[in-house]
């Protein structure tokens, strides 16, 4: 009998599967698509490296020759601020990678499979029932046939598919305004020295704090690039998605210059209204991981880190439950997960009101505070020793107000 059925083989699903199989459970991952498959979200955070290591996947990730990443650069109107992750306040990994997600996600799930997880592709979960806390899950195969699974527990790691939130009516609107992203990968042909390939580049629009651009360098001569903004900005440009993205880039002279030799590698994709929330992260017989639960915003590249943190917390609570212990999912899963999610939420809110730009570009920065901010940007959003971590953003707001003066 399957102990745990996991919906989806992205980073949340593959790491949760490894954490559970390592505890001796029988784990089945059902994935709708065939891997490798494209996914947006290519910039990792150093804090994720702890989960990759714990999942026993570090050697395979290290061997993949991904682009080394040790920081983030923020640009606005000729000003630049560089965060070096090795200067962060919180101890732990100070580097990570920029990864084409098709390759990265496949490495992680293949590693989970090598550890004993059963993985099946092109199988989509289409119905779920949890009467009396006993999961009954219906899956549809590629040929249209269906099958029913009765595992002891279900973890939904279906990302933007949001399978259980849809099927169990758990969806709740996000508090954030609707924003969209236009993004692609290009062969960048950026001359060597013009750009630090070991850092993600985030550029704020010259006139608007609510419009920003990412450039994420890979080790294969390509960069991922994208523009995020509200509808009134992204819809004002007419034409194909390609024309609209490049028109948005043309409004930022430094970025236009950096990408002047770029040649398309992928079509331009548009994602709209991706922020999402749910009324509960768990219930009898199920729990939600990663994006299936909540997605805040792409700006600080926190998506995969939160996904892996949720996998780590859930697999610990679930392991104990399956061994017969009484557990409290709210206190031991939801509440600890929310510490980091709320930390990032405060940062996202002050990103879009220009508050973080005031901190980043302030002429007299306090080194210790910068190191604390740097730790959160490196993904250490759960470190209670950092005063900028935790539920509520009072301290960050105070710093923003002081920096705006
Ligand atoms: C514009 C944009 C930019 C982003 N940039 C970054 C970034 O730089 N860094 C970062 O960390 N994050 C980023 N993110 C977020 C990141 O994409 C996600 O947080 C991350 O992929 C979540 O991982 P996951 O494992 O929860 O879900 P996913 O990676 O989405 O995996 C879910 C899997 O579930 C499968 N699935 C879905 N429905 C079903 C079903 N019914 N049955 C079976 N399988 C199913 C899917 O096929 C998929 O393979 C970005 C997001 C957006 C929108």
């Amino acid at each position: 009998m399957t102990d745990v059925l996991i919906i989806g083989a992205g980073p949340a699903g593959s790491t949760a599967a490894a954490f559970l199989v390592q505890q001796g459970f029988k784990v089945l991952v059902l994935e709708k698509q065939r891997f490798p498959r494209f996914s947006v979200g290519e910039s990792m955070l150093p804090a994720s490296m702890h989960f990759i290591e714990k999942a026993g996947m570090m050697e395979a990730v290290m061997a993949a020759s991904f682009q080394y990443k040790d920081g983030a650069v923020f640009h606005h109107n000729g000003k630049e601020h560089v965060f070096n992750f090795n200067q962060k306040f919180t101890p732990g990994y100070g580097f990570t990678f920029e990864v084409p997600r098709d390759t990265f996600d496949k490495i992680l799930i293949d590693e989970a499979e090598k550890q004993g997880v059963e993985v099946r592709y092109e199988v989509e979960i289409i119905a779920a029932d949890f009467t009396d806390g006993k999961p009954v899950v219906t899956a549809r195969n590629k040929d249209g046939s269906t099958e029913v699974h009765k595992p002891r527990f279900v973890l939904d790691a279906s990302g933007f598919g949001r399978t259980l939130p849809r099927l169990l009516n758990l969806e709740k609107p996000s508090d954030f305004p609707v924003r969209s992203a236009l993004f692609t990968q290009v062969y960048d042909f950026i001359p060597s020295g013009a750009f630090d390939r070991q850092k993600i580049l985030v550029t704020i629009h010259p006139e608007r704090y609510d419009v920003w651009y990412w450039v994420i360098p890979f080790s294969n001569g390509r960069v991922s690039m994208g523009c995020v903004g509200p509808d009134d900005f992204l819809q004002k440009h007419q034409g194909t998605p390609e024309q609209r993205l490049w028109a948005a880039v043309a409004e930022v002279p430094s970025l236009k210059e950096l990408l002047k030799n770029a040649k398309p590698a992928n079509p331009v994709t548009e994602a709209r209204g991706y922020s999402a929330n749910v009324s509960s992260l768990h219930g009898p017989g199920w729990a939600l991981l990663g994006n299936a639960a909540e997605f805040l915003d792409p700006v600080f590249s926190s998506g995969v880190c939160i996904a892996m943190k949720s996998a780590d917390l859930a697999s610990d609570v679930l392991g104990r439950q399956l061994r017969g212990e009484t557990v409290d999912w709210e206190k031991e899963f939801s509440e600890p997960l929310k510490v980091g999610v709320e930390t990032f939420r405060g940062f996202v809110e002050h990103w879009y009101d220009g508050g973080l730009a005031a901190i980043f570009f302030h002429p007299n920065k306090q080194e210790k505070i910068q190191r604390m901010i740097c730790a959160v940007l490196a993904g250490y959003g759960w470190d209670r020793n950092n005063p900028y971590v935790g539920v509520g953003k009072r301290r960050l707001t105070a710093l923003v107000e002081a920096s705006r003066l």
Side-chain angles (χ1 to χ4, degrees):
M1 183 196 183
T2 301
D3 293 310
V4 186
L5 187 155
I6 299 180
I7 311 173
S14 54
T15 50
F19 296 146
L20 285 160
V21 86
Q22 285 166 12
Q23 296 178 57
F25 298 111
K26 195 164 162 10
V27 183
L28 171 65
V29 176
L30 296 180
E31 163 59 52
K32 183 168 80 169
Q33 299 184 68
R34 173 145 289 281
F35 271 35
R37 54 92 178 91
F38 176 83
S39 172
V40 71
E42 298 117 329
S43 189
M44 299 297 105
L45 297 183
S48 302
M49 302 290 275
H50 295 276
F51 305 118
I52 293 172
E53 188 171 40
K54 185 174 170 186
M57 300 169 175
M58 188 61 95
E59 208 180 313
V61 168
M62 287 287 195
S65 304
F66 290 127
Q67 173 64 52
Y68 178 88
K69 172 186 174 187
D70 64 4
V73 179
F74 293 87
H75 272 189
H76 185 216
N77 279 337
K79 286 175 280 181
E80 177 179 280
H81 183 60
V82 181
F83 283 101
N84 284 303
F85 290 147
N86 59 15
Q87 289 164 0
K88 66 189 165 35
F89 171 82
T90 306
Y93 279 99
F95 73 93
T96 183
F97 299 105
E98 312 280 22
V99 298
R101 285 282 302 280
D102 50 357
T103 312
F104 179 74
D105 289 12
K106 178 148 171 46
I107 288 173
L108 300 193
I109 194 66
D110 285 352
E111 288 303 301
E113 202 169 6
K114 283 183 206 159
Q115 293 177 32
V117 174
E118 185 186 352
V119 186
R120 288 175 52 208
Y121 295 95
E122 299 183 287
V123 185
E124 180 180 6
I125 303 306
I126 53 168
D129 181 86
F130 293 90
T131 307
D132 299 330
K134 294 198 174 81
V136 180
V137 175
T138 308
R140 184 171 50 212
N141 296 301
K142 199 184 167 199
D143 63 6
S145 62
T146 56
E147 56 191 41
V148 172
H149 295 266
K150 294 183 179 174
R152 295 169 71 193
F153 203 91
V154 178
L155 290 175
D156 183 4
S158 64
F160 293 109
R162 301 175 62 72
T163 305
L164 291 189
R166 276 187 298 106
L167 295 174
L168 304 182
N169 211 9
L170 305 168
E171 291 196 287
K172 213 175 100 177
S174 163
D175 302 335
F176 290 135
V178 173
R179 298 189 176 102
S180 304
L182 279 167
F183 54 89
T184 189
Q185 289 179 10
V186 294
Y187 298 101
D188 56 275
F189 299 109
I190 297 171
S192 101
F195 170 50
D196 181 353
R197 294 193 83 91
Q198 298 192 352
K199 295 180 179 62
I200 182 175
L201 170 64
V202 175
T203 306
I204 303 169
H205 189 277
E207 283 139 34
R208 302 183 55 151
Y209 286 114
D210 60 349
V211 176
W212 61 275
Y213 305 74
W214 78 73
V215 177
I216 298 172
F218 297 137
S219 56
N220 59 5
R222 297 183 183 194
V223 298
S224 162
M225 54 166 292
C227 174
V228 174
D231 278 352
D232 74 286
F233 180 80
L234 281 179
Q235 302 300 335
K236 79 173 178 176
H237 299 293
Q238 300 296 308
T240 62
E242 278 76 9
Q243 289 165 330
R244 290 167 53 217
L245 175 58
W246 287 105
V249 168
E251 294 193 17
V252 188
S254 62
L255 207 53
K256 188 178 168 195
E257 174 64 20
L258 190 72
L259 295 169
K260 67 181 177 196
N261 299 322
K263 299 274 175 293
N266 281 355
V268 174
T269 305
E270 182 160 17
R272 186 173 183 281
Y274 34 68
S275 299
N277 208 344
V278 284
S279 52
S280 177
L281 293 180
H282 59 88
W286 59 269
L288 308 179
L289 306 182
N291 269 23
E294 178 169 8
F295 180 64
L296 292 172
D297 191 272
V299 65
F300 297 120
S301 309
S302 59
V304 170
C305 186
I306 293 173
M308 290 183 174
K309 177 75 182 182
S310 69
D312 187 33
L313 287 168
S315 52
D316 174 57
V317 180
L318 179 54
R320 288 188 284 112
Q321 175 174 315
L322 295 178
R323 283 191 292 273
E325 252 186 62
T326 303
V327 296
D328 183 336
W329 278 89
E330 192 56 27
K331 284 215 153 19
E332 298 175 70
F333 172 65
S334 288
E335 288 177 15
L337 183 63
K338 279 181 186 162
V339 170
V341 173
E342 293 307 311
T343 302
F344 286 115
R345 188 191 308 284
F347 274 62
V348 169
E349 283 173 10
H350 279 310
W351 171 259
Y352 285 99
D353 68 10
L356 279 189
I359 297 173
F360 293 174
F361 301 115
H362 197 276
N364 305 312
K365 293 188 245 311
Q366 281 190 39
E367 199 197 313
K368 189 167 181 195
I369 292 178
Q370 288 297 314
R371 293 201 298 116
M372 291 167 175
I373 301 289
C374 182
V376 173
L377 299 186
Y380 294 93
W382 289 266
D383 174 14
R384 295 280 200 175
N385 293 322
N386 184 342
Y388 292 95
V389 160
V391 178
K393 55 179 170 102
R394 226 164 11 111
R395 196 179 286 261
L396 184 65
T397 303
L399 179 62
V400 164
E401 279 162 11
S403 303
R404 284 197 211 269
L405 297 176

